[in-house]
């Protein structure tokens, strides 16, 4: 079975993440969405909430599993027997960080491949940070995230 891990903070899961995930599903038998427990950036939503939102957006899907992880990505990939890591590339600004990440992972785990999918044009400037900024000021995020995520953002920033 060809298994890939799609790791990220997903704070929150956007239409850009969904686009990458749906396209990855065509390439692999199983995708494990690895939700980072403690990303370097501080999160608006706790890990359980981030996972719950992804689950609701995806609905029942036998090809996808949502799992949280901490520690090294390569260790997580080894544990779940993944052959590849999926990452999305948006603007050039993503490139340097992603190159660093892919290089260190290659060094730590030579058999693990990192696969980059270019962001679709309509998602290429979409980030979780932008979505949160718009939602924080009461803007309409309905074209950027799924309805369930938009609802949670509204609730979060009202509180
Ligand atoms: P991280 O903190 O690991 O960067 P993110 O949740 O920001 O976590 O992103 C997870 C992955 O999804 C990264 O590879 C990122 O480049 C990719 N990604 C995020 N937003 C988009 C988008 N709009 N289009 C394509 N890929 C995206």
């Amino acid at each position: 079975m060809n298994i890939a891990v799609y790791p990220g903070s997903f704070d929150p899961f956007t239409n850009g993440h969904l686009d990458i995930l749906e396209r990855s599903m065509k390439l692999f038998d199983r995708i494990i969405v690895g939700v980072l427990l403690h990303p370097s950036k501080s999160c608006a939503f706790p890990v359980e909430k981030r996972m719950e939102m992804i689950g609701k957006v995806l609905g029942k899907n036998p090809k996808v599993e949502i799992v949280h992880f901490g520690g090294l990505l390569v260790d997580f990939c080894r544990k779940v027997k993944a052959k590849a890591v999926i990452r999305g590339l948006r603007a050039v600004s993503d490139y340097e960080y992603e190159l660093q990440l892919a290089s260190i992972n290659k060094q730590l785990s030579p058999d693990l491949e990192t696969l980059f999918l270019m962001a679709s044009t309509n998602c290429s400037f979409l980030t979780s940070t932008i979505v949160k900024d718009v939602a924080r000021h009461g803007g309409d995020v309905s074209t950027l995230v799924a309805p369930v995520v938009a609802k949670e953002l509204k609730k979060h920033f009202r509180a």
Side-chain angles (χ1 to χ4, degrees), residues 6-20 23 34 36 39-41 86-90 94 97-98 101 116-120 122-129:
Y6 180 34
S9 319
F10 307 113
D11 183 48
F13 193 76
T14 67
N15 289 345
H17 293 130
L18 181 61
D19 174 61
I20 295 291
R23 288 159 57 200
L36 258 171
S40 49
K41 38 196 175 187
I86 308 281
R87 296 290 288 177
L89 272 184
R90 287 161 295 189
D94 277 343
Y97 172 67
E98 292 296 340
L101 198 69
F116 293 105
L117 297 185
M118 299 301 293
S120 296
N122 58 329
C123 300
S124 58
F125 292 99
L126 180 52
T127 68
S128 295
T129 306

Side-chain angles (χ1 to χ4, degrees), residues 29-99:
D29 300 316
R30 191 172 186 77
I31 306 283
I32 298 178
V33 180
V35 184
L36 258 171
L37 262 176
H38 301 296
S40 49
K41 38 196 175 187
S42 64
C43 282
F45 296 99
V47 73
E48 298 79 16
K49 185 51 100 183
R50 283 181 273 141
M51 291 171 70
E52 181 193 306
M53 283 189 275
I54 301 170
K56 283 184 180 166
V57 173
L58 299 179
K60 270 206 167 33
N61 192 322
K63 273 192 121 174
V64 183
E65 196 180 338
I66 305 155
V67 180
H68 62 70
F69 77 103
L72 288 177
L73 176 60
V74 290
D75 291 337
F76 177 61
C77 290
R78 213 170 277 138
K79 195 172 116 191
V80 298
K81 298 186 169 52
K83 285 186 179 161
V85 172
I86 308 281
R87 296 290 288 177
L89 272 184
R90 287 161 295 189
V92 222
S93 49
D94 277 343
Y95 183 78
E96 204 166 326
Y97 172 67
E98 292 296 340
L99 185 66

